[in-house]
Amino acid sequence: MTQSKWLTWPVFVELTEIYTAPLNVIWFILGSAIAQLVYGTFNIENVLLCLLDVFIFDLAVNVSDNYFDYVHAHDREHYAKEVNPIGRLSLPLKRVGWLATSLYILSAIPGIFLWLNTGWPVLIFGAIGYIIGIFYTAGKFPINATPVGETVVALSIAYLIQLTCVYVSIAGRAPFTLATMGITFLLCLPLTLNFFCVQLANNIADLDEDIANHRHTLVYFTGKANALNIMKAGVIIGTLWPIVNVLLGKAPWLTALSSLILIAMWPGMQPFFKNPDKQKTYMGVIKSGSLFFVGYTLLFALGVWLQG
């Protein structure tokens, strides 16, 4: 591949994983619905700016992850050459690094407008997001090589994004308090637990690869059997938690119906529970998790609309 023509559309898709970007819309639908439920308002202009920011930032993080995973790889023969897209596609390392940097800079532009429209909390949320996104794979001790990686990712994607969405929706219209953070956490907990389980499943399937590359994730310390039990418990608690929120009076009654999705999710995850394999059974976990992400969010949003 020539240096001048290395960044084709297929390569861009491979590095950025742009095909996962539509899932970001779900996080913002939920965040907007929470703002509407609790405060009776949401700001479409700010929400769209925030969505654009997260969309570009997500692309940057994926490119950065591929870059630093390649740089840090101890398994140079298999992982670096055959698994990581930089080695597998013979991509110029420096240019991939510049692509990640360019996308990070580009993502900051809508963030600046968002800050001007709202206030300083956006800078704090943004700083936390950038630190997690960059150091997930960068640095001497990247987050993805530690036993807290799954938790950090789940909280940042399934809670911090929605919390930011709530803030930009109510900025200048209602106070942003600890109570706001608490109610948002409760309403995002079903997604957070299920997202944690999807991340945990990924690391269960990648255990041998992670060990070869000196990444000591939670699965490394618990073992596959215990990690699978944690995953099962997380899926059950997360999927049934909407009922708790309804009983606490924090969510519309329609949200409780999302717990029925567990009936469809569990069979889709069973093959992975029996044989946790990245190529053969992991996609069932992704599909089951996505089914709940979409189902819970849409039922919650519909419940808010009917209640309003």
Side-chain angles (χ1 to χ4, degrees):
M1 182 177 297
T2 63
Q3 294 284 305
S4 59
K5 296 181 179 179
W6 72 274
L7 190 57
T8 62
W9 176 248
V11 168
F12 183 79
V13 170
E14 181 89 12
L15 287 173
T16 62
E17 300 177 23
I18 195 172
Y19 47 83
T20 65
L23 190 59
N24 287 322
V25 176
I26 291 297
W27 314 137
F28 285 90
I29 292 175
L30 180 59
S32 299
I34 292 173
Q36 183 65 41
L37 174 69
V38 179
Y39 295 101
T41 185
F42 79 98
N43 188 313
I44 186 64
E45 178 186 349
N46 287 344
V47 168
L48 289 177
L49 272 174
C50 197
L51 174 60
L52 179 61
D53 190 325
V54 169
F55 171 75
I56 302 172
F57 179 75
D58 188 44
L59 303 183
V61 168
N62 289 333
V63 177
S64 178
D65 286 352
N66 282 314
Y67 175 87
F68 284 109
D69 279 346
Y70 180 84
V71 170
H72 292 156
H74 290 268
D75 179 5
R76 304 307 301 180
E77 290 303 313
H78 174 64
Y79 177 79
K81 291 183 178 180
E82 299 177 18
V83 177
N84 189 286
I86 296 175
R88 178 163 44 83
L89 301 175
S90 301
L91 303 179
L93 184 62
K94 285 187 177 181
R95 296 197 177 192
V96 173
W98 275 112
L99 175 62
T101 302
S102 300
L103 287 170
Y104 275 128
I105 294 172
L106 184 62
S107 71
I109 295 175
I112 292 172
F113 283 103
L114 198 57
W115 165 54
L116 294 174
N117 281 357
T118 56
W120 60 265
V122 162
L123 295 180
I124 295 178
F125 296 144
I128 294 172
Y130 273 80
I131 290 171
I132 293 173
I134 293 171
F135 291 101
Y136 182 68
T137 51
K140 188 175 181 180
F141 301 103
I143 296 171
N144 76 334
T146 71
V148 299
E150 299 92 343
T151 303
V152 171
V153 171
L155 286 172
S156 62
I157 293 178
Y159 172 58
L160 182 62
I161 290 177
Q162 289 85 337
L163 183 64
T164 305
C165 183
V166 170
Y167 171 72
V168 301
S169 290
I170 68 173
R173 302 179 181 184
F176 183 78
T177 64
L178 289 176
T180 306
M181 299 173 68
I183 184 64
T184 302
F185 178 78
L186 281 177
L187 296 174
C188 290
L189 190 57
L191 296 188
T192 304
L193 287 173
N194 274 282
F195 202 94
F196 168 86
C197 292
V198 171
Q199 290 296 117
L200 184 60
N202 179 70
N203 288 340
I204 291 172
D206 284 347
L207 179 60
D208 293 337
E209 179 183 294
D210 286 341
I211 291 174
N213 288 290
H214 298 189
R215 293 195 289 259
H216 298 154
T217 64
L218 180 61
V219 187
Y220 175 84
F221 293 97
T222 65
K224 281 190 177 182
N226 287 330
L228 283 167
N229 288 332
I230 293 171
M231 179 184 168
K232 292 174 184 177
V235 169
I236 293 171
I237 295 172
T239 310
L240 295 181
W241 193 263
I243 297 174
V244 176
N245 283 338
V246 170
L247 293 176
L248 291 174
K250 303 299 183 183
W253 66 267
L254 196 62
T255 312
L257 296 180
S258 64
S259 294
L260 295 175
I261 298 174
L262 181 62
I263 298 172
M265 290 174 63
W266 203 255
M269 292 183 169
Q270 279 293 347
F272 184 85
F273 295 151
K274 295 177 181 177
N275 176 32
D277 184 275
K278 195 64 171 287
Q279 303 302 322
K280 297 177 181 178
T281 58
Y282 178 64
M283 187 52 65
V285 176
I286 295 291
K287 291 179 179 178
S288 296
S290 298
L291 179 64
F292 182 75
F293 298 151
V294 174
Y296 172 77
T297 300
L298 294 183
L299 284 170
F300 184 91
L302 180 60
V304 171
W305 180 70
L306 292 174
Q307 188 170 299

